Amino acid sequence: MKARATDARRAAVLGSPIAHSLSPVLHRAAYAELGLHGWSYDRFEVDEAGLPGFLGTLGAEWAGLSLTMPLKRAVIPLLDEISETASSVEAVNTVVLTEDGRRVGDNTDIPGMVAALREHGIEEVDTAAVLGAGATASSALAALSRVCSGEVVVYVRSETRAAEMRRWGERLDVEVRTADWADAAEALRAPLVVATTPAGTTDALAASVPERPATLFDVLYDPWPTELAARWSMFGGAVVSGLDLLVHQAVLQVEQMTGHAPAPLEAMRRAGEKALAER
C-alpha cells in the first residue's frame, strides 16, 4: 500500500554495532525526495538477545526495519513469513510490518548486488571468483547464480569454510570450486571478482592486480577506496563499490516499506557520497 505524504510512520536499522550505518542517511534522503514528511528513520543498537523484546515494543506506526549483523538470521524465527530470496540464504535484511500486524522478511542484498552489477554493465559472465566465505559470501553466490553461467571459485582460509561454501553452491545451484586463500592472487584474473572480506583483508593482494583487470565488486564502502580497489582503478579495471550495493539494496527497502516506486536512487546515492566524504 502506498504511504501518504502526511502519514506519521517510522522505520529504523537495527544491529550491533550500528553507529557506522549509512542507512539513516539513505532512507531519509529518499523520504525527503518522495515528500514523505511525516516519516522518520533511526538507528538502534540491538543484539540477538535484545531483538525479541525490541520487536515486541513496535506499534502500528512502524512500517519496517533494516537489519545488519548479527540479526539477519536471528530474526527469522520471529517472523510470520520470509521471501524465497531470504530463505535461499537463510538471511533477512528487511522486515516489512504490515497493516494487519504481520512481520514479513526479505533479503534485498541479493537483488541489490545484481542491480549494482548491471548498472556497471555486468549482465553475464562465464566465470567468477569470490574472496572470503562469511555471511556476505553466501549472498554473493546467490547473486552470482543470476549473472554467472559457469564456475565460481571461492578462496577461503579453512576446509570448514570451504565445505560450507560448497554446500551453499549446491543449495543455490551454483557450480562452486574452493581454493586456498594462499592462492587468492589467482582470483584477480577472473572476469568478475567479488571481495566479501573485512577491511584490510585484501590489502596484500593489491600488488598482484593484473595489467588489464576486468571487474572488481568490493562490498566495503568505509574506508574507501580499499587498497585493492584503488590499484584496480589505477590499472583501468571497472570497480563496483560497497556504496553501490548499499544504495541499491536500500532502494528496494524504501519501495517495500513505503509503497513508492521507483525510489530515488540518485538522491540516495548523493546523500551517501556526501556522508562518506564528511567522515
Side-chain angles (χ1 to χ4, degrees):
M1 180 179 179
K2 182 179 287 190
R4 297 186 302 272
T6 55
D7 287 346
R9 304 300 306 276
R10 297 189 67 184
V13 59
L14 314 181
S16 183
I18 201 62
H20 67 287
S21 176
L22 273 184
S23 291
V25 170
L26 303 182
H27 285 252
R28 291 169 186 169
Y31 298 164
E33 191 75 11
L34 292 168
L36 297 176
H37 308 300
W39 282 63
S40 63
Y41 189 102
D42 303 297
R43 63 166 68 90
F44 293 94
E45 182 85 16
V46 179
D47 60 15
E48 294 177 68
L51 183 58
F54 185 91
L55 292 179
T57 67
L58 304 183
E61 75 278 12
W62 281 85
L65 301 168
S66 307
L67 302 177
T68 186
M69 299 305 293
L71 306 179
K72 293 184 179 183
R73 290 185 177 157
V75 75
I76 292 176
L78 307 174
L79 301 177
D80 297 298
E81 177 187 345
I82 68 170
S83 69
E84 184 177 337
T85 301
S87 179
S88 72
V89 290
E90 298 178 2
V92 166
N93 78 325
T94 307
V95 178
V96 175
L97 304 166
T98 67
E99 289 185 351
D100 59 1
R102 301 176 75 249
R103 303 168 181 168
V104 180
D106 193 14
N107 185 308
T108 64
D109 285 332
I110 295 166
M113 284 185 178
V114 174
L117 285 168
R118 287 179 175 162
E119 184 180 42
H120 285 76
I122 307 300
E123 297 283 346
E124 183 177 340
V125 292
D126 295 332
T127 61
V130 174
L131 299 172
T136 306
S138 59
S139 291
L141 284 182
L144 288 171
S145 72
R146 307 182 187 189
V147 299
C148 182
S149 60
E151 180 182 70
V152 177
V153 185
V154 184
Y155 291 81
V156 299
R157 293 186 184 277
S158 71
E159 177 52 36
T160 300
R161 289 289 197 180
E164 183 178 339
M165 295 312 294
R166 290 193 293 268
R167 285 195 295 272
W168 278 117
E170 292 174 5
R171 177 168 179 166
L172 296 165
D173 197 25
V174 177
E175 182 185 348
V176 169
R177 176 167 65 86
T178 54
D180 192 275
W181 184 264
D183 299 320
E186 296 176 4
L188 308 186
R189 300 189 180 279
L192 172 61
V193 181
V194 185
T196 70
T197 52
T201 307
T202 62
D203 288 356
L205 296 176
S208 299
V209 173
E211 288 187 7
R212 295 184 178 179
T215 300
L216 171 69
F217 190 166
D218 195 325
V219 302
L220 295 173
Y221 64 84
D222 189 15
W224 186 262
T226 62
E227 289 191 27
L228 180 60
R231 181 86 168 179
W232 201 276
S233 294
M234 187 174 72
F235 277 63
V239 176
V240 186
S241 75
L243 182 61
D244 293 322
L245 165 60
L246 191 67
V247 171
H248 277 283
Q249 65 83 27
V251 160
L252 297 171
Q253 291 183 333
V254 169
E255 292 174 354
Q256 289 189 31
M257 293 179 193
T258 69
H260 286 262
L265 172 68
E266 291 308 322
M268 295 168 71
R269 192 199 310 274
R270 287 194 301 271
E273 290 172 343
K274 181 174 183 289
L276 286 176
E278 291 172 351
R279 288 184 181 182

